[in-house]
DNA sequence: CACCAGATCCTCT
DNA sequence: GAGGATCTGGTGG
């Protein structure tokens, strides 16, 4: 299996488009000589402006600084004991992102990581990966296209697990 | 320094 | 569907 990182222009688009198109793509984690691969099956977009649920809504701080990087960078943050992974979308200083909410096992991982905290756990995502450039082929975390992906129906819904801006249709998942 | 809000998850009913 | 476990940095005194 050839695993090539998606280019920056894939991520340099509106978060809703990136969130939708990330379904079926492969999340790749290189770790201690091994390669973990999961197929992305659920995502959520977070907007740069007018989105109270986005971590960037109140401006830049040390916690969310990675959201202000250029498209294709990782925004890794913790929620209680869990580590969550976002990919930054749109250009620099346009702080939007897509949360990877679930992956299916492809290689090296077992079970279904059917929640953002479980994705972080299954693929050993750590804070050290916060801010890395996921379009850089030398990095230990990136997203690759899957040439053999099957056509599956994409569903859209409002986001879950948040208390503000609940009504935006920014959650994408396979039927 | 104290307080508290979370993009969660697991274990009960 | 409710409640608790458990962690970190933002915010305000």
């Amino acid at each position: 299996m050839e695993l090539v990182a998606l280019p920056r222009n894939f991520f340099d688009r509106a978060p809703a488009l990136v969130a939708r198109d990330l379904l079926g793509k492969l999340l790749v984690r290189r770790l201690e000589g091994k390669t973990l691969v999961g197929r992305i099956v659920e995502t959520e977009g977070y907007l740069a402006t007018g989105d109270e649920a986005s971590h960037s809504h109140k401006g830049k701080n040390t916690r969310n600084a990675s959201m202000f990087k250029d498209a294709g960078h990782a925004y890794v943050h913790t929620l209680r004991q869990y580590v969550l992974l976002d990919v930054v979308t749109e250009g620099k200083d346009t702080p939007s992102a897509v949360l990877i909410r679930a992956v299916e096992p492809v290689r090296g991982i077992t079970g279904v990581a059917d929640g953002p905290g479980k994705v972080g756990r299954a693929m050993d995502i750590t804070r050290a990966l916060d801010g890395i450039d996921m379009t850089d082929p030398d990095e230990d975390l990136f997203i690759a296209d899957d040439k053999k992906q099957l056509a599956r129906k994409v569903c859209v819904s409002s986001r879950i697990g948040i208390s503000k801006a609940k009504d935006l249709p920014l959650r994408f998942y396979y039927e």
Side-chain angles (χ1 to χ4, degrees), chain A residues 46-145:
Chain A
Y46 287 85
L47 310 180
T49 55
D51 182 1
E52 286 191 293
S54 173
H55 289 174
S56 64
H57 182 247
K58 291 178 180 172
K60 189 175 184 176
N61 56 41
T62 56
R63 193 185 202 122
N64 65 19
S66 294
M67 281 192 81
F68 292 75
K69 291 195 169 195
D70 205 354
H73 285 76
Y75 167 45
V76 179
H77 75 280
T78 57
L79 177 61
R80 295 184 167 74
Q81 60 267 61
Y82 303 101
V83 181
L84 281 61
L85 169 67
D86 287 43
V87 192
V88 177
T89 55
E90 303 181 286
K92 195 174 186 329
D93 294 324
T94 303
S96 60
V98 173
L99 170 69
I100 309 299
R101 286 195 60 89
V103 301
E104 289 175 349
V106 174
R107 186 202 299 176
I109 59 179
T110 55
V112 182
D114 58 348
K118 296 189 212 174
V119 171
R121 187 196 301 164
M123 305 208 56
D124 215 325
I125 310 291
T126 66
R127 294 282 302 282
L129 296 167
D130 182 43
I132 68 160
D133 183 359
M134 294 180 78
T135 67
D136 181 345
D138 294 328
E139 286 292 358
D140 292 329
L141 183 68
F142 61 93
I143 296 171
D145 206 348

Side-chain angles (χ1 to χ4, degrees), chain A residues 5 12 16 38-39 67 77 149 164:
Chain A
D12 192 4
R39 186 187 317 283
M67 281 192 81
H77 75 280
Q149 68 180 277
K164 303 171 206 160

Side-chain angles (χ1 to χ4, degrees), chain A residues 10-62:
Chain A
F10 177 91
F11 301 102
D12 192 4
R13 295 180 291 150
L17 296 179
V18 178
R20 182 197 65 195
D21 292 346
L22 276 176
L23 294 181
K25 297 293 188 287
L26 302 174
L27 181 61
V28 183
R29 169 81 165 114
R30 296 196 197 286
L31 183 71
E32 297 166 358
K34 298 177 185 172
T35 303
L36 310 180
V37 183
R39 186 187 317 283
I40 297 169
V41 295
E42 183 184 349
T43 59
E44 276 180 357
Y46 287 85
L47 310 180
T49 55
D51 182 1
E52 286 191 293
S54 173
H55 289 174
S56 64
H57 182 247
K58 291 178 180 172
K60 189 175 184 176
N61 56 41
T62 56

